[in-house]
Amino acid sequence: MPVSDAETSLDAAIAARLKRTTDGLVAAIVQEHGTNEVLMLAWMDAEALHRTLTTGRATYWSRSRQEYWVKGATSGHHQLVRKVALDCDGDALLVTVEQTGAACHTGTHTCFSAELPVSALEAL
């Protein structure tokens, strides 16, 4: 399980602004520095955010493995964090990174490569 606010070193003022899911997580939208391409969606709790802000390495909470993971620790596809922003509602983070290698676990640069048809566009 993700750690509680009492167990993390995240600044209390930042932690208070986070609006989390029932399991204590906040969506982290990851964007490439320079191109602004959306690379992936991951999840962070307060501790993952603290680790990300203090190390400059993107750290997430794996919902499937139930553990923290530093992007690239095993794959070599690192994310050097350039900026982190909290959205106006406090329920999403925008993490801007310099991506090395693929961002997606499938080996593609972005996790968002499967475009869906929008039929409304045909009517315009």
Side-chain angles (χ1 to χ4, degrees), residues 58-101:
T59 304
Y60 306 108
W61 176 257
S62 171
R63 296 179 303 162
S64 60
R65 294 189 310 266
Q66 294 290 294
E67 64 184 15
Y68 294 102
W69 57 282
V70 177
K71 181 67 174 167
T74 57
S75 67
H77 300 166
H78 299 282
Q79 292 179 339
L80 176 62
V81 177
R82 293 308 215 162
K83 182 171 63 171
V84 178
L86 183 61
D87 83 335
C88 59
D89 296 321
D91 60 0
L93 297 161
L94 179 62
V95 183
T96 305
V97 302
E98 286 185 20
Q99 179 70 46
T100 300

Side-chain angles (χ1 to χ4, degrees), residues 9-74:
S9 298
L10 182 65
D11 180 280
I14 295 172
R17 294 179 60 194
L18 298 177
K19 291 185 184 161
R20 298 163 245 207
T21 63
T22 56
D23 50 357
L25 302 174
V26 175
I29 302 160
V30 183
Q31 179 182 47
E32 189 164 33
H33 177 72
T35 67
N36 293 332
E37 182 177 19
V38 176
L39 299 176
M40 58 185 270
L41 170 72
W43 296 93
M44 289 185 175
D45 69 350
E47 181 60 20
L49 179 56
H50 169 71
R51 293 178 188 188
T52 297
L53 293 172
T54 58
T55 67
R57 298 285 179 195
T59 304
Y60 306 108
W61 176 257
S62 171
R63 296 179 303 162
S64 60
R65 294 189 310 266
Q66 294 290 294
E67 64 184 15
Y68 294 102
W69 57 282
V70 177
K71 181 67 174 167
T74 57

